[in-house]
Amino acid sequence: MLTGANVATVIVMLLVGFSDRLNPTDHPLVSTVGMAFPVLLVINMGFLLFWLIFKWSRAWVPVAGFILSYVPISIYMPLNVSPSPPEGALKLVSYNVCCYGGNFKYEQGFEKVRDYLVDEKADIVCLQEDNDSWRRYCFKQLEERGLTYNDTVVLFNDELRFNCLGIHSKYPIIRRERIDYKTVSNNGSAAWWLKVNEDTVIVVNNHFESCHLNEEDRRQYRQLLKGEMARDSVRAESQLLMVKLAEANAVRSKQIEMVCQYVSQYLGRYPIIVCGDFNDNPISFSRHRMGKMLTDCFVESGRGVGLSYNQKAFSFRIDHIFCSADITPYQCEVDTKMDASDHFPMVCWLKIGVK
């Protein structure tokens, strides 16, 4: 029975691990199962420890499961030993700053983020929810500290919604384009063309569709994980959560396709960087679709799980950085020391030039 249970776990782990191939538009509910992949990894590891202690000859079952799941495992938690970035590599930071709210820890949220970016000596900074630019005169403050070229795109600004995407760079901004697509809430994407030495580099900053989970949804989800919810409520709440996630995944998949179409026009002609808050975990169609076209910098040069969303019970890597084949990433990481938002910054070194 235990061997059968282990085999069943391996099969489910494989199905979940490769579920990112399915488009949420066609398979909305199935597209949500990628969140369960780390749980299945832990269960399979438990089986491995059990067999090693009580019947080592059966240990081949979980080991085979890990081998067969190598691809999704390497995406979820790569174990690269990335060399130091070479001379001439630029440093990029992608960060959802949560409207400079300070994550309820810092009263001076903008100043905290500003000082962090200056200390990091970043060459290009892509911010999501860069909403206080108009009020705090951050352009001038960042310009005085080395990020000379600054621009913000207002995605939405009405009675209910206000959201901006920003870029702050040491390199001149040649032009900017908004990538139009439908959105349920206040999200969007924009591309900036930068003059980086002798190259023209396209940087696409994104804030894709969120999952629209309110505080009550999050509270009940935490209760569900802890087993504190009444049995008759578990089924109803689970279905409600799955439906919300599935609807967001379906909307997000169309947004991803629009960004991919934009990128495909210039692929091979210009170095391209795509980054931002994808609002989706590593085992997802969003990451897979972008990863088919571009290099996932964290998968290529990162190490570990890299949890970029820091809210309890929702810890996933939902922020991503991608680059075209004519850019080599180095030491891509999630900087968990910077806690002035509900996201951690993604930091990566990028060397432009033919590999």
Side-chain angles (χ1 to χ4, degrees):
M1 289 179 62
L2 286 172
T3 303
N6 196 175
V7 170
T9 298
V10 169
I11 292 173
V12 175
M13 186 169 67
L14 286 170
L15 293 174
V16 170
F18 290 96
S19 64
D20 57 1
R21 273 68 175 170
L22 300 176
N23 193 320
T25 304
D26 303 320
H27 308 278
L29 289 176
V30 178
S31 69
T32 65
V33 301
M35 297 173 64
F37 187 69
V39 177
L40 295 165
L41 285 178
V42 172
I43 294 173
N44 197 50
M45 179 60 70
F47 274 114
L48 177 59
L49 295 175
F50 176 85
W51 294 129
L52 290 175
I53 294 171
F54 295 103
K55 196 166 186 178
W56 63 268
S57 61
R58 300 290 176 88
W60 67 268
V61 178
V63 170
F66 286 130
I67 293 173
L68 292 172
S69 302
Y70 171 78
V71 171
I73 290 174
S74 65
I75 291 171
Y76 186 80
M77 51 176 189
L79 298 175
N80 300 296
V81 180
S82 183
S84 299
E87 184 178 353
L90 61 86
K91 190 174 189 179
L92 180 137
V93 175
S94 177
Y95 191 16
N96 183 325
V97 296
C98 196
C99 309
Y100 299 110
N103 203 16
F104 305 105
K105 297 180 179 181
Y106 306 100
E107 292 184 3
Q108 303 296 324
F110 168 72
E111 287 76 12
K112 182 72 175 178
V113 173
R114 177 202 64 197
D115 293 344
Y116 167 77
L117 297 176
V118 172
D119 292 342
E120 282 295 301
K121 296 181 173 59
D123 297 296
I124 301 174
V125 176
C126 292
L127 300 183
Q128 303 85 46
E129 299 187 22
D130 190 17
N131 292 7
D132 274 359
S133 298
W134 61 277
R135 183 163 62 86
R136 295 179 183 260
Y137 307 102
C138 78
F139 283 9
K140 184 172 182 59
Q141 295 198 35
L142 291 173
E143 182 180 347
E144 291 173 350
R145 290 161 176 82
L147 292 169
T148 308
Y149 303 95
N150 302 276
D151 189 35
T152 298
V153 172
V154 177
L155 301 175
F156 290 92
N157 185 10
D158 56 33
E159 294 180 354
L160 299 176
R161 302 176 297 179
F162 181 48
N163 193 15
C164 303
L165 291 173
I167 191 166
H168 310 283
S169 167
K170 293 182 179 179
Y171 304 106
I173 299 171
I174 301 173
R175 65 170 170 160
R176 171 240 288 174
E177 294 180 334
R178 174 82 182 269
I179 302 176
D180 291 323
Y181 52 67
K182 291 184 179 179
T183 175
V184 174
S185 55
N186 56 336
N187 302 293
S189 300
W192 282 270
W193 298 52
L194 306 182
K195 187 64 175 177
V196 181
N197 301 323
E198 300 302 319
D199 295 296
T200 298
V201 179
I202 301 175
V203 181
V204 182
N205 190 7
N206 306 274
H207 189 290
F208 289 123
E209 201 72 25
S210 66
C211 295
H212 309 293
L213 301 181
N214 56 38
E215 188 56 39
E216 179 63 17
D217 294 330
R218 297 170 187 270
R219 185 186 66 81
Q220 292 182 347
Y221 176 65
R222 287 190 285 267
Q223 286 185 328
L224 185 65
L225 291 181
K226 295 177 181 179
E228 298 175 350
M229 186 176 291
R231 183 176 300 179
D232 57 349
S233 300
V234 169
R235 183 180 181 86
E237 294 302 328
S238 298
Q239 289 178 339
L240 179 61
L241 180 64
M242 293 285 281
V243 167
K244 284 192 172 185
L245 293 174
E247 290 175 347
N249 288 351
V251 174
R252 197 181 299 117
S253 68
K254 296 175 182 177
Q255 298 173 353
I256 289 286
E257 290 294 348
M258 293 300 294
V259 173
C260 287
Q261 288 181 28
Y262 180 88
V263 169
S264 66
Q265 300 176 71
Y266 306 106
L267 202 59
R269 297 164 55 191
Y270 300 97
I272 300 174
I273 302 167
V274 176
C275 64
D277 179 3
F278 277 52
N279 271 310
D280 224 337
N281 70 91
I283 309 299
S284 64
F285 176 80
S286 301
R287 194 225 64 87
H288 173 73
R289 178 68 180 90
M290 195 65 68
K292 286 177 63 178
M293 178 176 292
L294 303 172
T295 300
D296 186 324
C297 296
F298 190 85
V299 173
E300 183 74 14
S301 65
R303 186 175 181 84
V305 179
L307 305 177
S308 67
Y309 190 62
N310 58 39
Q311 299 303 289
K312 292 181 179 179
F314 289 88
S315 296
F316 293 98
R317 187 171 80 247
I318 65 174
D319 300 87
H320 304 279
I321 299 175
F322 297 85
C323 65
S324 53
D326 47 6
I327 300 177
T328 305
Y330 294 88
Q331 297 181 354
C332 188
E333 64 176 2
V334 175
D335 190 351
T336 57
K337 299 187 297 297
M338 181 55 182
D339 60 350
S341 170
D342 54 355
H343 292 244
F344 293 127
M346 288 284 291
V347 181
C348 189
W349 291 88
L350 301 165
K351 175 65 175 177
I352 300 173
V354 179
K355 297 181 181 179

